[in-house]
Amino acid sequence: MSAATRISPQRWSEVRAAIQDVGERFGHLVLSSDPAAMATADWTVADTAAHVAAIAWQYTSLVVSYDTERPIDGVRDLLLGTTVDNIHTGLNEAMRRNFTQRDPEALVATLRSSIAEVLALTRDADPASTVVWLGGASLPRAGLLAHLTNEMLLHGRDIARAMGTPWPIPQEQAALFFDLFIVEIIRNGVGVLLDTGRPPRPGRIAVEFRSAYTTPVAIVVTDGVVSVEEPGRDVDVRLSFQPAALNLMLFHHVGRLRTVLGGGVRAWGRRPWLLPAFLRKVRLP
C-alpha cells in the first residue's frame, strides 16, 4: 500500500519554527568564525556560508514556481538535468561561480532575509503543494523548508568542527528532513534525480525505516523505480536510526561503519545483504 503523506499541520508548524531557529544559530556561528578557515577539504567557512545563503536565496523564487526568475545566473538552466551524481560539478559549481559574495555579514544578511521571505511567501500556502525541484522532482513546500533546514544543520557542523565549537543537531529537527523531504519527494516523484545512467537492478528491495522521531515507512526499489509504502511483512531489511546520524551518513559526513558502530543506524531482516544495492539507488550527494 502506498504510504500516506507525512505532512500534517503539526509538522508544518515544526519545520517553520525549525528553519527560523537553525537559521539564527547558523548566522551567529558564521559571524563568530574565521571566514578563511577551511570548513571542508575544498571550502572555507566563507565558501560554506555562501553555499547555504545561495540555496536560501534561490528558494525565494523556487518556492513560488519554476518559472519565476532566479536571483543567481546559470542556475535555472541546470535545474532539470541535475542528479545526485552531477550536482557538485554542475549546479553547485554554477552557484559558487556566479554568487561571489564572501563577506560574512552580507552572507548572513542574505540568509536571514531569504528565510524571512520564504516563510512569508508560504504563510498561507498548502504545505503539501509541490514545486519543481532538482532533476524535475516534485517537492512539497514543506520539504523545501526541511531541505534548507538540513543544509544549515549539516554545514553548520562543518563550520563548527573547523572552529572547535559545539554544534548540536537536535533529533527532532533532523527528523523533519526524513519525513518531509525524503519520504515526500519519493511519494511525489523524483524525476531524474536518482538516475545513474546504468541499467537498473531487476527485482524488488524493500527497506523499512523506523525511529523514535519519525513515522515508520518502507522505501522500495522495484526494477530501478523508487516508491514508498506503509510498512508490512514483506520488507527485506529493517532499519532503526537516529535522524541526525542517518542524515550525516547519507550525505557522507560520517562513514557507514562509524555510524553503525556508534549506534546511529542498526539494520537486520530476512535479506540484509540487499542494503548496499538499495543504497546505490537511494542515495544523496
Side-chain angles (χ1 to χ4, degrees), residues 11 14-15 18 153 169-177 212-214 243-244:
R11 273 309 208 202
E14 289 170 351
V15 76
L153 287 172
I169 301 181
Q171 300 293 347
E172 293 84 357
Q173 291 180 339
L176 295 167
F177 181 73
Y213 305 91
T214 59

Side-chain angles (χ1 to χ4, degrees), residues 140-208:
R141 285 171 169 80
L144 196 79
L145 270 63
H147 176 263
L148 180 53
T149 300
N150 188 63
E151 285 288 307
M152 293 187 290
L153 287 172
L154 297 192
H155 288 300
R157 178 180 181 272
D158 292 334
I159 295 172
R161 282 166 59 86
M163 294 295 99
T165 59
W167 179 256
I169 301 181
Q171 300 293 347
E172 293 84 357
Q173 291 180 339
L176 295 167
F177 181 73
F178 185 83
D179 268 351
L180 301 182
F181 179 87
I182 292 180
V183 174
E184 291 298 325
I185 199 171
I186 295 173
R187 281 188 71 253
N188 287 277
V190 298
V192 303
L193 189 62
L194 300 179
D195 284 7
T196 64
R198 299 184 295 274
R201 177 194 180 278
R204 181 180 190 273
I205 306 174
V207 179
E208 179 182 300

Side-chain angles (χ1 to χ4, degrees), residues 252-277:
H252 315 290
H253 287 243
V254 178
R256 293 180 187 176
L257 180 59
R258 180 179 164 192
T259 302
V260 171
L261 292 177
V265 172
R266 187 169 68 92
W268 71 100
R270 58 178 184 143
R271 297 199 293 174
W273 58 86
L274 293 178
L275 187 57

Side-chain angles (χ1 to χ4, degrees), residues 38-220:
M38 296 305 296
T40 71
D42 302 309
W43 287 355
T44 64
V45 167
D47 292 332
T48 305
H51 173 72
V52 173
I55 293 173
W57 197 18
Q58 288 295 102
Y59 280 4
T60 61
S61 63
L62 193 61
V63 76
V64 177
S65 78
Y66 172 75
D67 296 322
T68 305
E69 185 177 351
R70 301 289 186 274
I72 301 174
D73 292 337
V75 172
R76 186 176 183 274
D77 294 341
L78 294 172
L79 193 76
L80 297 183
T82 294
T83 71
V84 296
D85 296 327
N86 68 27
I87 188 172
H88 292 309
T89 56
L91 185 64
N92 283 353
E93 175 58 22
M95 286 198 299
R96 184 199 66 79
R97 186 174 59 248
N98 295 329
F99 181 59
T100 58
Q101 179 61 259
R102 292 297 182 271
D103 175 71
E105 290 191 5
L107 291 171
V108 171
T110 296
L111 176 66
R112 287 172 172 165
S113 65
S114 296
I115 290 173
E117 186 171 352
V118 166
L119 287 171
L121 288 168
T122 58
R123 183 176 295 117
D124 299 319
D126 176 359
S129 62
T130 61
V131 298
V132 179
W133 201 66
L134 308 186
S138 294
L139 180 65
R141 285 171 169 80
L144 196 79
L145 270 63
H147 176 263
L148 180 53
T149 300
N150 188 63
E151 285 288 307
M152 293 187 290
L153 287 172
L154 297 192
H155 288 300
R157 178 180 181 272
D158 292 334
I159 295 172
R161 282 166 59 86
M163 294 295 99
T165 59
W167 179 256
I169 301 181
Q171 300 293 347
E172 293 84 357
Q173 291 180 339
L176 295 167
F177 181 73
F178 185 83
D179 268 351
L180 301 182
F181 179 87
I182 292 180
V183 174
E184 291 298 325
I185 199 171
I186 295 173
R187 281 188 71 253
N188 287 277
V190 298
V192 303
L193 189 62
L194 300 179
D195 284 7
T196 64
R198 299 184 295 274
R201 177 194 180 278
R204 181 180 190 273
I205 306 174
V207 179
E208 179 182 300
F209 287 78
R210 287 183 178 270
S211 83
Y213 305 91
T214 59
T215 302
V217 70
I219 300 179
V220 182

